Amino acid sequence: MSRVAIYPGSFDPVTRGHMDLVQRACRLFDRLIVAVSTNPSKKHTFSVDARIRMIEESARHLPQVEVDTFSGLLASYLKRKKVRVVIRGLRVVSDLDYEFQMASMNRRLCPDMETVFLMPDEQYTYLASSMVKEVARMGAPPDAFVTAPVARLLRRTFRARK
Ligand code: PNS
């Protein structure tokens, strides 16, 4: 039986920290579905298509990774995909509050599922998509924080908006 997990998130955009978790999850599972949330009530910088493309380009070397989108409840998406494991990252202790709440709600909605928390490499503990965008918007090179395809899109996006 193949082991499958879903790694959901906004990925606006995907960072090296997210990709570190993707690599770690690939060592534990046979297939990993990176699921980009399309929640219309959240204001994203990048379109769903752009967010998907950035993950696909960043994960080219990982054949077990599939990129998908979901809207609505994560619990419903898990049931539809018949997957029981969700991957989430814990960078710092302050992440725990929100993650614990979310994992508990998801377990309530879908009692069969488990959330597996992975820690990124410590060099990524401070990384967040929002901060990477701020740095890029203000003209600093984003290359240390995101993969090459993402860095290219960040430069193009923020140069065009100046
Ligand atoms: O990268 P993020 O923004 O921390 O990801 C959060 C995400 C998209 C995984 C979370 O908001 C989510 O699962 N949204 C779907 C709606 C849902 O299921 N809500 C109830 C549980 S919080």
Side-chain angles (χ1 to χ4, degrees), residues 34-113:
V34 181
V36 177
S37 155
T38 64
N39 185 352
S41 65
K42 250 189 176 175
K43 209 175 163 300
H44 295 112
T45 305
F46 296 102
S47 68
V48 179
D49 285 350
R51 285 183 278 149
I52 290 175
R53 214 174 318 117
M54 285 187 272
I55 301 167
E56 283 174 344
E57 289 177 8
S58 305
R60 276 230 166 97
H61 58 297
L62 297 166
Q64 59 275 64
V65 173
E66 175 189 325
V67 188
D68 193 14
T69 61
F70 76 102
S71 58
L73 288 174
L74 178 62
S76 311
Y77 177 67
L78 286 170
K79 287 180 194 163
R80 267 200 317 279
K81 300 296 276 187
K82 297 187 169 51
V83 174
R84 291 169 47 180
V85 180
V86 166
I87 301 289
R88 289 289 291 173
L90 278 183
R91 294 163 300 183
V92 284
V93 176
S94 55
D95 282 346
L96 193 62
D97 261 0
Y98 170 61
E99 293 298 334
F100 186 83
Q101 236 182 331
M102 193 158 79
S104 305
M105 176 58 84
N106 283 330
R107 177 182 275 173
R108 185 69 202 262
L109 296 171
C110 182
D112 279 350
M113 58 94 54

Side-chain angles (χ1 to χ4, degrees), residues 112-126:
D112 279 350
M113 58 94 54
E114 294 296 341
T115 301
V116 173
F117 293 107
L118 298 178
M119 278 168 23
D121 189 285
E122 60 190 43
Q123 64 176 312
Y124 302 125
T125 49
Y126 63 92

